[in-house]
Amino acid sequence: MTEAVLPKDFVWGFATASYQVEGAPHEDGRADSIWDTFCRIPGKIADASSGDVACDSYHRQNEDIELLKSTGARAYRFSISWSRVIPLGGRNDPVNEKGIAHYVKFVDDLLAAGIQPMITLFHWDLPDNLDKRYGGLLNKEEFVADFANYAKTMFKAMGSRVKFWITFNEPWCSAILGYNTGLFAPGRCSNRNKSECGDSSRECWIVGHNLLLAHAHAVKVYREEFKAQDGGQIGITLNGDWTEPWDPEDLQDVEACERKLEFAISWFADPVYFGRYPESMVKQLGDRLPKFTEEEAALLKGSNDFYGMNHYCANYIKHKEGPVDPNDFSGHLELLMEDKNGKSIGPETQSVWLRPHAIGFRKLMKWLSDRYGKPTIYVTENGTSLKGENDLPLEKILDDEFRAQYFRDYIGALADAYSKDGVDVRGYMAWSLMDNFEWAEGYETRFGVTYVDYKGGQKRYPKKSAKVVGEVFDKLIKKE
Ligand code: PNW
């Protein structure tokens, strides 16, 4: 696919997140986030590491901007560490001017380099103090008010510099991985071998609910007090992978595919576009799924200026028989890598959950476009790890043809969705600008188009894919 079909102002670039790249956890007044404290608990991170140094991006802003320039990127999606800006997190706690100044300078430098900033306000790193003080994301009144205040602080500090705001990154991960499986901070779940407290059957649904309301309140603040003068757009970023039936002849597997999409995506997207939860979830979860008041529903409905889409892969789905597990969070079904005939959905990568299947990207964009009335979509993450990459010698790592091909296939699928299916997609951020702290998997799993030498002073070495993404867009984007 080499024909230029994407509009001339298509926004493309790369993404990262604060805790995954910054390091400098206690510099210039930053306080702990729940990820700093989670990493200190033995056994939570595969290689017992943390984001203490990571890519040292806090000290290497210029280097990162040079790197972005060398790729030709038009935009950079990064996130703000809330506990740098308001170390204790709350609306009555002091604001840390140094933290704000750091991000304002970064944005000014990006703009001077001709790169559009796209800011995520919350990429999982809640100020730890808020978790300790009142239960963090579980506490509706406090959390919603504190998030709105933090968001407002950032809107004010950035003014018209920033045209793209993302309230939350992947609320599904915060809720399910943080409060159901316990794999991510704060690690709460029902399994007492893993966590002293938590209730996997209930807390994740409360947290999802509170994140939605916090999103809606922050959007209200932006629209009422900033949008007209600053001219930006605001939305939430949702993760979602495509589904194919394990047995396409079995109607129950076909139905389970739709249910899986609803439990993963529509859990958040239906309230944002329609002001209510999907019927399949209401049915399975009963009174464990919180209810919106009329006022809340009205506030949520229409609260996206754009749909932020994170997408990586696809799964085969097989329906389950028998009673529903109260801790189930995906719609009473199995997620499989192989279909009925043993055919794999895609090649293996370093991430157990990720096997590339590019056509699924196009199909999911169409599904979203149909269900939500053709929203403007910005793809805010898409990328892959590579099986065994960490164990290869440097010159092999830099020749990451597998990742390069992933990007050719996925960006090609995006171009088809735009030009052939009428999907209104206007931007794409590859995950990630550089290898970084891959959460519970530590540093063993690499997602970067740039190699980061963690043992050699965090030096950066662009891989082949760093060039390929730009080459692909250069062919696909119209020159005028
Ligand atoms: C996303 N899963 O996370 C995040 O937004 C990034 O911070 C992260 O580095 C990237 O994808 C790669 O993992 C996910 O288990 C983490 O299905 C885990 C899952 C999905 C997304």
Side-chain angles (χ1 to χ4, degrees):
M1 155 126 233
T2 45
E3 208 193 326
V5 292
L6 296 175
K8 134 165 162 283
D9 58 354
F10 190 89
V11 188
W12 70 271
F14 299 89
T16 61
S18 48
Y19 191 71
Q20 294 182 273
V21 301
E22 285 183 353
H26 297 124
E27 212 158 307
D28 293 337
R30 181 186 180 277
D32 278 344
S33 74
I34 55 173
W35 272 92
D36 295 88
T37 47
F38 188 68
C39 290
R40 290 181 203 131
I41 307 173
K44 299 295 183 194
I45 311 298
D47 54 5
S49 65
S50 73
D52 275 356
V53 180
C55 307
D56 193 33
S57 283
Y58 190 76
H59 300 118
R60 291 168 196 252
Q61 290 178 302
N62 293 340
E63 236 178 281
D64 288 352
I65 291 174
E66 286 308 314
L67 185 61
L68 281 159
K69 272 165 71 179
S70 74
T71 65
R74 296 176 169 184
Y76 182 45
R77 172 180 179 237
F78 64 98
S79 82
I80 307 279
S81 160
W82 184 344
S83 61
R84 277 194 202 286
V85 172
I86 306 173
L88 298 178
R91 56 200 181 281
N92 298 314
D93 296 321
V95 170
N96 178 25
E97 294 302 336
K98 281 190 182 163
I100 294 189
H102 169 85
Y103 290 115
V104 169
K105 174 168 186 336
F106 185 51
V107 163
D108 281 339
D109 292 349
L110 279 169
L111 290 170
I115 299 166
Q116 280 265 338
M118 180 181 270
I119 296 190
T120 312
L121 288 166
F122 185 93
H123 201 119
W124 309 345
D125 44 356
L126 181 79
D128 187 59
N129 176 63
L130 298 185
D131 197 48
K132 299 227 160 57
R133 194 191 291 176
Y134 58 66
L137 308 183
L138 284 165
N139 188 322
K140 179 164 110 175
E141 272 68 37
E142 296 292 337
F143 176 70
V144 170
D146 283 346
F147 181 74
N149 170 71
Y150 155 61
K152 185 172 175 172
T153 307
M154 290 314 306
F155 299 149
K156 211 194 242 160
M158 293 300 174
S160 61
R161 295 174 179 94
V162 174
K163 305 298 180 196
F164 298 102
W165 290 100
I166 292 157
T167 52
F168 290 97
N169 178 69
E170 304 190 346
W172 183 95
C173 288
S174 292
I176 298 300
L177 307 179
Y179 293 82
N180 176 294
T181 66
L183 288 171
F184 278 14
R188 293 171 67 96
C189 60
S190 294
N191 181 344
R192 291 290 163 263
N193 295 321
K194 275 178 142 188
S195 171
E196 279 170 22
C197 42
D199 177 347
S200 301
S201 75
R202 290 183 180 274
E203 289 186 353
C204 53
W205 311 115
I206 296 168
V207 165
H209 196 76
N210 296 346
L211 288 168
L212 276 163
L213 293 170
H215 156 79
H217 278 269
V219 170
K220 181 176 150 73
V221 169
Y222 190 69
R223 287 181 178 167
E224 287 179 355
E225 301 175 44
F226 300 92
K227 195 177 159 90
Q229 85 231 24
D230 294 335
Q233 303 179 54
I234 186 163
I236 191 167
T237 277
L238 306 177
N239 53 307
D241 298 323
W242 182 243
T243 56
E244 290 288 347
W246 179 75
D247 176 0
E249 315 269 279
D250 186 337
L251 187 60
Q252 295 193 78
D253 285 356
V254 175
E255 284 170 2
C257 282
E258 188 80 359
R259 205 159 62 243
K260 165 66 173 53
L261 294 176
E262 292 181 346
F263 270 73
I265 298 172
S266 310
W267 174 13
F268 300 99
D270 277 16
V272 165
Y273 288 91
F274 310 140
R276 55 173 152 75
Y277 285 120
E279 208 35 58
S280 58
M281 295 185 71
V282 176
K283 194 171 156 208
Q284 179 177 315
L285 301 170
D287 67 2
R288 287 184 287 127
L289 191 65
K291 291 191 177 49
F292 297 113
T293 64
E294 250 173 67
E295 204 184 323
E296 289 169 345
L299 195 62
L300 266 161
K301 190 175 171 178
S303 60
N304 253 1
D305 292 337
F306 62 85
Y307 183 104
M309 176 184 191
N310 284 2
H311 178 82
Y312 288 89
C313 55
N315 292 109
Y316 287 114
I317 303 295
K318 188 171 193 257
H319 74 280
K320 269 190 190 165
E321 309 272 355
V324 182
D325 176 353
N327 295 338
D328 175 79
F329 55 81
S330 39
H332 197 43
L333 46 87
E334 274 179 83
L335 234 72
L336 300 164
M337 294 298 173
E338 283 162 12
D339 71 1
K340 195 183 173 189
N341 301 315
K343 190 175 144 229
S344 176
I345 193 91
E348 282 183 54
T349 68
Q350 185 65 25
S351 314
V352 284
W353 54 273
L354 198 172
R355 292 196 192 183
H357 184 78
I359 185 71
F361 188 29
R362 176 175 171 185
K363 290 182 183 174
L364 184 58
M365 273 192 259
K366 177 79 166 74
W367 186 90
L368 290 171
S369 191
D370 289 346
R371 187 173 177 115
Y372 298 112
K374 249 184 148 231
T376 295
I377 296 176
Y378 284 89
V379 176
T380 43
E381 280 179 31
N382 173 243
T384 190
S385 59
L386 215 139
K387 198 168 173 61
E389 187 178 24
N390 196 39
D391 305 321
L392 297 173
L394 181 60
E395 77 269 15
K396 287 247 163 60
I397 292 185
L398 299 186
D399 188 20
D400 62 340
E401 175 54 28
F402 181 85
R403 185 176 284 107
Q405 192 55 41
Y406 178 98
F407 285 126
R408 288 182 203 110
D409 292 345
Y410 271 78
I411 297 167
L414 174 146
D416 284 342
Y418 178 82
S419 61
K420 298 180 182 158
D421 303 338
V423 172
D424 185 24
V425 53
R426 300 193 199 174
Y428 174 96
M429 304 294 130
W431 185 271
S432 177
L433 176 63
M434 58 194 143
D435 295 335
N436 55 51
F437 177 67
E438 180 54 13
W439 309 110
E441 290 178 44
Y443 294 97
E444 286 163 6
T445 303
R446 295 173 179 268
F447 269 87
V449 298
T450 305
Y451 174 77
V452 177
D453 185 1
Y454 300 116
K455 295 187 186 115
Q458 276 44 43
K459 201 166 150 33
R460 285 105 159 101
Y461 300 83
K463 304 176 192 173
K464 178 181 188 177
S465 58
K467 229 197 307 155
V468 167
V469 174
E471 287 169 0
V472 172
F473 278 114
D474 196 48
K475 287 197 189 116
L476 284 172
I477 295 177
K478 291 182 181 153
K479 299 285 182 274
E480 55 203 79

